Structure formats: C-alpha cells, structure tokens
Amino acid sequence: MQLNTIKPASGAKHAKRRVGRGIGSGLGKTAGRGHKGQKSRAGGFHKVGFEGGQMPLQRRLPKRGFKSASLKFNAEITLAALQKLEATEVNLVVLKAAGLVPEIARNVKVIKSGELTRAVTLSGIGATAGAKVAIEAAGGSLASNA
C-alpha cells in the first residue's frame, strides 16, 4: 500500500445533493420542496411537536408526578453492610471510602435490613426507627449532627 493509493471504502463517500440546477438533475424548479406552503419557503419551519395550530399532544395530556432534584444526593445503607464494615466510628467519609455510598451522596440513612451484632457509633448519618433500635441494642449509638 502506498500513500497515493489510499482511498475510502466504496460507498463511504457520496456526492453532495445539488438542488435547483435544472430539469435534467431531477431536482430542478422546486428543488425537491414540492409546491407552496410553509415548508417550501426559506426559513419556513416550525418547532418540534407543532401540529398546525391544533393543541399539541404534549399540552393535551395532563401533567402528572414529580421527580425531586435532590433525590440523587440521598443514599441508603443496610445493617448488614454496617456489620461487614470494620470501622467502629462510621461517618459519611468512611462510607464513601469503603464504596458503600456514591461519591455524590450528601445524606445517608441506615435502614433495618440484616443483622448488626457489634457496636458502631454513627455520626452525621440518619437511621430509620427500626435501625436505631437495632443499633442501640447492639451497643452502638447515633450522634446525628446532619
């Protein structure tokens, strides 16, 4: 192979469509735009979803539901995950370092799923009512300053 013989694969390149260049081209006169109307004119296009003045579908349908923007900053951790964690002092930094919560998380809550048999001290982390009882029963404590 030489540099002067390199060319694109067949079918990879095609000639630009030249419209409005006479009858013989097949795209003369109206240049493939049909006759009259908004779409035949220069700059004659309307926004996506426009239905000719009829109330568009996205406005005919009712609004429903709500998605909180702050939801992505919340995370959960189970009692079983706390049991596996070696640390006795648990906070947000420790959980992020262990990879138990995503880096983006700001609020973490312990949920009652699994067993906890050792004492852990939580700081800056919330807990559900059931999880709180389980943590205190194992000899742990919650110092929630968040």
Side-chain angles (χ1 to χ4, degrees), residues 79 82-83 87-89 115-122 130-143:
L79 289 174
L82 277 181
Q83 178 71 24
T88 53
E89 288 282 330
E115 293 292 316
L116 183 67
T117 54
R118 58 187 193 79
V120 291
T121 307
L122 303 180
K132 190 173 181 181
V133 169
I135 291 165
E136 287 168 352
S141 64
L142 275 89

Side-chain angles (χ1 to χ4, degrees), residues 65-74:
F66 169 76
K67 189 164 174 80
S68 173
S70 63
L71 204 60
K72 62 177 174 262
F73 299 114
N74 299 338

Side-chain angles (χ1 to χ4, degrees), residues 2-103:
Q2 281 86 33
L3 282 176
N4 64 335
T5 62
I6 294 173
K7 62 179 186 178
S10 60
K13 296 280 191 178
H14 52 86
K16 188 169 152 274
R17 178 176 294 183
R18 299 186 69 224
V19 297
R21 293 294 181 272
I23 287 177
S25 69
L27 287 168
K29 195 185 170 217
T30 54
R33 287 171 173 261
H35 290 278
K36 298 187 182 176
Q38 189 175 17
K39 288 167 76 173
S40 73
R41 322 262 186 221
F45 271 95
H46 39 66
K47 65 185 176 196
V48 174
F50 184 70
E51 297 184 20
Q54 171 176 300
M55 189 61 68
L57 184 67
Q58 76 270 19
R59 290 189 59 198
R60 290 199 302 266
L61 298 175
K63 295 195 285 186
R64 187 164 185 274
F66 169 76
K67 189 164 174 80
S68 173
S70 63
L71 204 60
K72 62 177 174 262
F73 299 114
N74 299 338
E76 292 177 347
I77 184 169
T78 61
L79 289 174
L82 277 181
Q83 178 71 24
K84 288 179 188 165
L85 197 64
E86 274 82 55
T88 53
E89 288 282 330
V90 179
N91 58 26
L92 193 57
V93 178
V94 171
L95 293 176
K96 283 181 180 179
L100 292 171
V101 295
E103 284 295 319

